[in-house]
Amino acid sequence: MKYIRWCIRGQVVLNKVKMCVISNLLYVLAYLSTTPACTQTTQGVTDCIAALKKYNLTKAETVQIINIMPASEVDVHLVVEECAERLDTDACLDLAAEVNQLLYNGPPLSAEDNAASSDQMMMDTSESTTTTTTTSTAQLSET
């Protein structure tokens, strides 16, 4: 009888965990749909990882490059630590071009497009923060 109760409780806990995972997955997918990553395919990411190996990047830098999809040399310098010592100018430009070719399934991104996307994300974040602050202030006023 104790085993049956434990199994039932275990199933309830497992179902709650599954719901939390699904909920978090939906939040991540909603966020990614607002970034350049929304155009990526599994095959494109796999090809990009293979192509980035020649630049001797760390795993963290590779993940950031895949997520951010740098469009210019400046964007590459923001992601790669000590980029000036590790990569020359041509390598930075080649890296950005290669990433865009492998990952982006649309018209080529320019630095301005990437900046506009970043600005939009910053505005969305600030609007969210403002809403949260307003709600918190209203709750404090009520008490």
Side-chain angles (χ1 to χ4, degrees):
M1 189 69 166
K2 288 182 181 180
Y3 178 73
I4 292 173
R5 277 190 240 145
W6 181 81
C7 286
I8 292 171
R9 286 188 201 140
Q11 280 291 24
V12 170
V13 169
L14 185 60
N15 286 337
K16 286 183 180 180
V17 169
K18 285 181 183 178
M19 292 303 292
C20 288
V21 169
I22 290 170
S23 176
N24 288 336
L25 178 64
L26 292 175
Y27 283 122
V28 169
L29 290 175
Y31 167 74
L32 288 176
S33 69
T34 64
T35 67
C38 69
T39 64
Q40 297 174 359
T41 63
T42 305
Q43 184 62 42
V45 171
T46 304
D47 294 344
C48 186
I49 291 170
L52 291 176
K53 289 196 186 291
K54 67 183 174 189
Y55 297 104
N56 296 322
L57 301 171
T58 65
K59 289 180 183 179
E61 291 167 343
T62 302
V63 169
Q64 287 179 333
I65 285 174
I66 290 170
N67 287 339
I68 295 171
M69 291 176 48
S72 68
E73 181 184 359
V74 173
D75 294 335
V76 173
H77 277 271
L78 292 172
V79 174
V80 179
E81 284 190 37
E82 300 174 357
C83 188
E85 290 87 30
R86 294 171 54 194
L87 302 172
D88 63 356
T89 303
D90 292 334
C92 288
L93 294 173
D94 291 343
L95 187 146
E98 229 175 319
V99 167
N100 279 316
Q101 177 188 6
L102 293 169
L103 294 179
Y104 189 68
N105 296 324
L109 281 177
S110 66
E112 292 81 22
D113 293 338
N114 238 2
S117 174
S118 297
D119 290 345
Q120 182 60 39
M121 286 181 4
M122 292 289 286
M123 289 180 67
D124 291 344
T125 304
S126 68
E127 288 173 5
S128 169
T129 305
T130 304
T131 304
T132 305
T133 306
T134 305
T135 305
S136 299
T137 306
Q139 290 172 348
L140 287 174
S141 300
E142 291 174 1
T143 58

